[in-house]
Amino acid sequence: MTTLREPPIRPEYVLPLKPALAVPAPGAAPSVSFALDRFGWLRKPAILLALAVVWELLARWFDNDLLLPGALQTGRAFVDGMLSGELVGYVSVSLAILSQGFLLGVAGSFLLTWLAVSNRFGRALIDTLTSMFNPLPAIALLPLALLWFGLGKGSLLMVLVHSVVWPLTLNASAGFRAVPETLRMAGRNYGLGGLRMVLQILIPAALPAILSGLKIGWAFAWRTLIAAELVFGSTSGQGGLGWYIFQSRNELFTDKVFAGLATVILIGLAIEHFVFQALERVTVRRWGMQR
């Protein structure tokens, strides 16, 4: 007769608790990390200020205003251009053309995206077109645009639409394809279909990819416009901010050239912060889809 053995008894042990993160008590001096987290909005201005200081030191080391004007000199040229209204006029022309081309590109992109997600033939067609035209620089189409539309807004709109439509279509179609099937099934269970399915299920689920495509398309369109205006300025004396940069270079006003380039950068930072980041905060970050 066999006897049952008792299971071995394992010795008990206690894991030491890890020290909790120190939280500054009321009235106590805050730590450095806590202060940095609290004033996180100062990070980007601090980075810009540090870059401006390095720029000014390099300019003083070269000591040649024609080759590299300092940050202070460029700032004075920027303020003078804004106060006189000269720089404001060029910027308004560029932004007006940019907004039209960007909206046309967004509309065309969503039509192509709808075709890509509607059936397999449309998906194959859009995959082929994006593979062909997405690597093609928009500025390379400028000679054809000048031949077809002449010197004017039409040529600029053509290259702007090309710079927006393909990256946005690629990102949006990838976002729609990545929507989980469970979300589609949940929408069908609620009786959604057709346009309601797209608006209430597919677009919110694919919104991170759509926003990424919008940001890429905006950046491509902005730099394409400046490059195209440089070409227009060299041929017909017309254009916006790019023509201002080109004209200032011909007149050897290097500080104005840097002021124009700084304006391009500042507009890009403003659009990124006040448009795209604000849109992300009220949508995908609020919904927990992005950190």
Side-chain angles (χ1 to χ4, degrees):
M1 183 175 180
T2 59
T3 58
L4 296 178
R5 293 185 177 181
E6 295 291 334
I9 300 177
R10 295 181 179 179
E12 296 183 358
Y13 61 93
V14 178
L15 293 176
L17 294 177
K18 295 182 179 180
L21 295 177
V23 178
S31 62
V32 176
S33 60
F34 180 77
L36 291 177
D37 291 337
R38 185 177 180 182
F39 299 100
W41 58 275
L42 288 175
R43 293 172 186 169
K44 289 185 178 180
I47 293 174
L48 294 177
L49 180 61
L51 292 176
V53 171
V54 173
W55 177 10
E56 182 68 25
L57 293 176
L58 284 176
R60 296 191 179 189
W61 182 66
F62 277 106
D63 196 19
N64 191 336
D65 295 340
L66 185 62
L67 295 180
L68 183 62
L72 295 177
Q73 185 178 354
T74 301
R76 285 192 295 268
F78 175 80
V79 172
D80 292 340
M82 296 297 289
L83 293 178
S84 65
E86 180 186 17
L87 193 56
V88 176
Y90 286 114
V91 169
S92 61
V93 171
S94 295
L95 291 181
I97 298 176
L98 178 67
S99 60
Q100 297 177 32
F102 185 74
L103 291 177
L104 288 174
V106 169
S109 174
F110 279 106
L111 289 177
L112 294 177
T113 304
W114 173 80
L115 181 62
V117 300
S118 59
N119 53 70
R120 294 183 179 180
F121 176 77
R123 180 183 303 179
L125 176 63
I126 299 306
D127 287 344
T128 304
L129 291 178
T130 52
S131 299
M132 291 171 55
F133 294 111
N134 192 37
L136 182 65
I139 198 66
L141 296 177
L142 190 57
L144 287 178
L146 294 173
L147 181 63
W148 292 343
F149 300 100
L151 295 174
K153 185 187 295 185
S155 300
L156 289 175
L157 291 179
M158 175 182 170
V159 295
L160 288 179
V161 168
H162 173 81
S163 63
V164 173
V165 68
W166 303 115
L168 180 54
T169 300
L170 190 63
N171 280 269
S173 58
F176 280 120
R177 294 177 194 174
V179 175
E181 188 63 27
T182 53
L183 291 179
R184 300 174 186 265
M185 294 173 62
R188 296 190 195 101
N189 290 336
Y190 280 99
L192 300 180
L195 185 60
R196 294 180 62 194
M197 171 71 78
V198 173
L199 294 178
Q200 299 184 29
I201 299 296
L202 297 183
I203 290 182
L207 196 57
I210 295 174
L211 288 177
S212 177
L214 287 173
K215 289 194 287 187
I216 295 173
W218 145 257
F220 283 4
W222 186 222
R223 66 187 188 185
T224 298
L225 176 63
I226 299 301
E229 286 177 344
L230 285 169
V231 176
F232 276 110
S234 63
T235 56
S236 64
Q238 298 177 357
L241 188 55
W243 165 236
Y244 173 81
I245 297 172
F246 182 83
Q247 187 182 32
S248 300
R249 195 271 300 175
N250 285 341
E251 297 174 356
L252 297 180
F253 292 142
T254 314
D255 53 348
K256 290 187 176 182
V257 174
F258 276 83
L261 296 176
T263 305
V264 173
I265 296 173
L266 291 176
I267 292 176
L269 292 175
I271 295 296
E272 171 70 21
H273 180 75
F274 294 106
V275 177
F276 291 114
Q277 288 188 7
L279 188 59
E280 288 177 353
R281 283 195 298 268
V282 299
T283 55
V284 293
R285 292 185 184 177
R286 183 179 178 182
W287 301 339
M289 302 169 65
Q290 192 179 73
R291 296 183 61 184

